[in-house]
Amino acid sequence: MTRYIRWTLLLVLFPVMVHAQSRSITLDEAVEHFQQNSLQQELARYDRLRKQGEAIRYKTYPNPEVSINREQLNAGTVDYQETTYMLSQPIELLGQPFLRNQSASKSQKAAELQFEYDRLQLIWQVKSLYVENWQLSQKLETYNRALEVIRKVRSAAKARRVEGSFSSLQVQRFNIELSRYRKQRDEVQLKRTQISNRLATFLFSGQELDTQIQVSDSLTVEPINFHEQALIQYALENRADLAALEQMVDASKLQYKVEKRDRLPDLNLNIGYKEQSDGVEGFVIGGSITLPMINQNRGNVTITQAQTRSRQTELALKQQVVRNQVSTAYERVELVLEQWSSMKENVMDGSMLEAARAAYQQGRYSLVELLDATQAFVDGQIMTYETIADYNQALFELDVQSAGRIFNSQNN
């Protein structure tokens, strides 16, 4: 009796447990979860922190050196000592500390901008996975509808075979079609599970990683009202990765100035106080200069000069890359929109499939016509969902490449 109660409770609670592991989520909620929980975003933050730490390390800090010297100078039986307290401070006379601090600040700003760009790239991945999950969910529903039609017709065929009006060959053909659609559906189901798991790694952590994500947004195709050149110009002015590279160019120029000025000698200023055991005391002032007679910092000057020119060239190339990225993404949006416009009127819907099934059962459709109608329904629905998904994927890519111009404008 106890075992019976346990099995009964398990059967009652199992659907609830399974449902508890599934979560319906919108696209905006997915992005919000990413911003709050993403470990990938956390890694990008650590990379930003590391780069900012390297920039801070380059700064100049006024750290003086303090020294105390005591000399025991005995002349025969006379006890004689001298104590010197000394403060030593290097002084760069040509403003190198100011230049270093400016360079470090620009490097820190570049790290912040690069993090912002990396975060947008990760959000793009989240949106892409969400769209793919939506597409696979719609495909799964399409195959389930096709399987439902085939099952109903096969059941009717079996009954009519007993009556003698249907052949075993026709029933076997339905069995084959049923197996084929089931196999395709199972492949889609497996892929959707994989995509859902990947999406969960961006949105959750810990035990929540087992959550099965159900997409709740219904994606559509909405044309945009932007010109290609306007998007390119906006991207050139607002792309965070481009702005980060511009900051690094400026930082390199300042570093080059520092190394050139370091060819000249720096002053090491010493200020102190001296006490003698005979009661004589007074201040001590001195200084020293390193004479760069041979090296003259040629190595560092050459390195920073090459680094500056390299980053300037990289910036010019990056501007070309940004133009190409926006242009390619824009063309992709236009092409998919054309595909959608040409196909949306000729898609077979579910009511037409049901009509084909009824016509077959009434003898107005042959077996081949019914199977062709089912395949046309599946192909048409899948093509529709793939086109909608492709358009949204292309739109998200264009938004990222154009520095968020598409959705920023729509939200405003």
Side-chain angles (χ1 to χ4, degrees):
M1 183 66 181
T2 304
R3 181 179 298 179
Y4 175 77
I5 294 175
R6 289 177 179 175
W7 278 105
T8 302
L9 289 174
L10 180 62
L11 291 174
V12 171
L13 294 176
F14 181 75
V16 178
M17 294 166 60
V18 172
H19 180 71
Q21 296 175 353
S22 179
R23 180 181 297 185
S24 179
I25 192 170
T26 66
L27 182 57
D28 290 339
E29 289 172 344
V31 173
E32 183 178 352
H33 279 294
F34 165 81
Q35 293 173 340
Q36 294 175 354
N37 307 313
S38 173
L39 296 178
Q40 293 86 345
Q41 182 178 240
E42 196 68 16
L43 286 176
R45 283 200 180 99
Y46 291 144
D47 185 60
R48 175 191 62 179
L49 187 61
R50 177 188 60 80
K51 292 176 180 178
Q52 290 179 334
E54 292 175 351
I56 293 172
R57 188 173 58 183
Y58 185 70
K59 285 186 175 183
T60 299
Y61 299 93
N63 295 323
E65 178 182 347
V66 178
S67 61
I68 301 176
N69 297 315
R70 183 178 179 84
E71 299 178 75
Q72 189 73 28
L73 304 173
N74 293 332
T77 60
V78 178
D79 187 15
Y80 181 79
Q81 301 94 20
E82 291 184 356
T83 304
T84 305
Y85 307 92
M86 189 66 67
L87 183 68
S88 180
Q89 174 66 54
I91 298 177
E92 295 175 299
L93 301 175
L94 301 178
Q96 290 95 319
F98 175 74
L99 295 175
R100 285 196 185 93
N101 293 342
Q102 271 197 321
S103 177
S105 297
K106 289 186 175 295
S107 296
Q108 288 179 276
K109 180 63 176 178
E112 187 70 34
L113 290 167
Q114 187 61 48
F115 165 74
E116 182 63 26
Y117 179 74
D118 293 341
R119 191 176 67 89
L120 291 177
Q121 292 286 316
L122 290 171
I123 292 176
W124 178 19
Q125 292 184 45
V126 170
K127 291 181 176 181
S128 296
L129 289 172
Y130 188 94
V131 171
E132 193 167 356
N133 198 326
W134 175 86
Q135 175 190 345
L136 293 170
S137 298
Q138 300 302 318
K139 283 185 178 181
L140 192 63
E141 183 178 345
T142 299
Y143 281 119
N144 284 332
R145 293 197 65 175
L147 282 168
E148 182 183 359
V149 169
I150 296 297
R151 287 194 188 100
K152 289 180 179 179
V153 177
R154 185 187 66 164
S155 178
K158 285 182 178 180
R160 296 176 68 178
R161 182 188 62 180
V162 175
E163 299 171 358
S165 57
F166 264 61
S167 66
S168 298
L169 182 61
Q170 288 179 312
V171 175
Q172 184 62 26
R173 180 63 185 277
F174 284 127
N175 289 335
I176 293 174
E177 290 298 310
L178 194 66
S179 297
R180 183 170 67 88
Y181 283 125
R182 185 182 292 120
K183 178 182 178 181
Q184 293 174 345
R185 182 204 61 184
D186 292 345
E187 290 175 351
V188 171
Q189 175 66 49
L190 178 60
K191 189 172 182 181
R192 190 186 73 161
T193 301
Q194 293 173 340
I195 295 300
S196 178
N197 291 339
R198 285 183 59 192
L199 181 58
T201 62
F202 280 88
L203 308 186
F204 308 113
S205 61
Q207 296 180 351
E208 289 183 309
L209 285 174
D210 296 332
T211 303
Q212 283 290 324
I213 297 176
Q214 303 291 334
V215 297
S216 60
D217 277 352
S218 180
L219 302 182
T220 58
V221 175
E222 297 181 4
I224 58 174
N225 187 24
F226 291 98
H227 296 292
E228 179 180 343
Q229 291 303 317
L231 291 177
I232 291 175
Q233 187 62 36
Y234 187 86
L236 291 173
E237 295 173 356
N238 295 278
R239 274 273 291 262
D241 58 330
L242 200 58
L245 191 51
E246 290 172 351
Q247 292 290 326
M248 290 307 299
V249 169
D250 293 340
S252 294
K253 290 179 179 178
L254 292 168
Q255 291 172 15
Y256 177 51
K257 288 183 179 180
V258 169
E259 299 302 335
K260 284 200 303 181
R261 295 186 184 187
D262 277 349
R263 293 179 300 178
L264 301 176
D266 296 327
L267 173 64
N268 193 50
L269 181 62
N270 302 312
I271 301 176
Y273 187 78
K274 188 172 184 179
E275 292 179 345
Q276 297 179 179
S277 58
D278 59 2
V280 178
E281 58 184 22
F283 291 98
V284 179
I285 300 176
S288 61
I289 293 179
T290 301
L291 299 178
M293 298 179 63
I294 299 176
N295 181 24
Q296 294 188 340
N297 203 31
R298 290 191 184 94
N300 288 335
V301 170
T302 302
I303 290 172
T304 52
Q305 183 182 36
Q307 177 180 272
T308 301
R309 292 179 178 176
S310 174
R311 283 177 172 164
Q312 288 174 330
T313 303
E314 186 180 353
L315 177 60
L317 290 173
K318 185 67 175 181
Q319 290 170 341
Q320 295 179 12
V321 169
V322 169
R323 289 188 180 94
N324 293 336
Q325 287 175 337
V326 176
S327 180
T328 302
Y330 187 87
E331 183 177 2
R332 181 187 173 194
V333 169
E334 292 293 303
L335 289 175
V336 178
L337 184 60
E338 290 179 7
Q339 295 171 15
W340 171 253
S341 300
S342 64
M343 64 171 288
K344 64 180 180 179
E345 301 296 336
N346 302 315
V347 177
M348 182 177 179
D349 59 21
S351 61
M352 297 174 67
L353 179 62
E354 287 296 327
R357 181 183 67 82
Y360 173 76
Q361 291 181 329
Q362 295 170 7
R364 292 185 288 111
Y365 265 24
S366 66
L367 174 63
V368 173
E369 288 176 320
L370 174 63
L371 296 180
D372 285 346
T374 305
Q375 187 63 53
F377 167 76
V378 171
D379 291 344
Q381 291 295 310
I382 288 178
M383 187 179 300
T384 298
Y385 297 134
E386 286 180 346
T387 304
I388 295 174
D390 287 345
Y391 182 80
N392 283 273
Q393 295 279 25
L395 206 58
F396 292 146
E397 180 184 4
L398 179 59
D399 184 61
V400 170
Q401 304 299 0
S402 63
R405 177 60 174 162
I406 304 299
F407 294 106
N408 284 345
S409 176
Q410 291 178 354
N411 292 335
N412 293 334

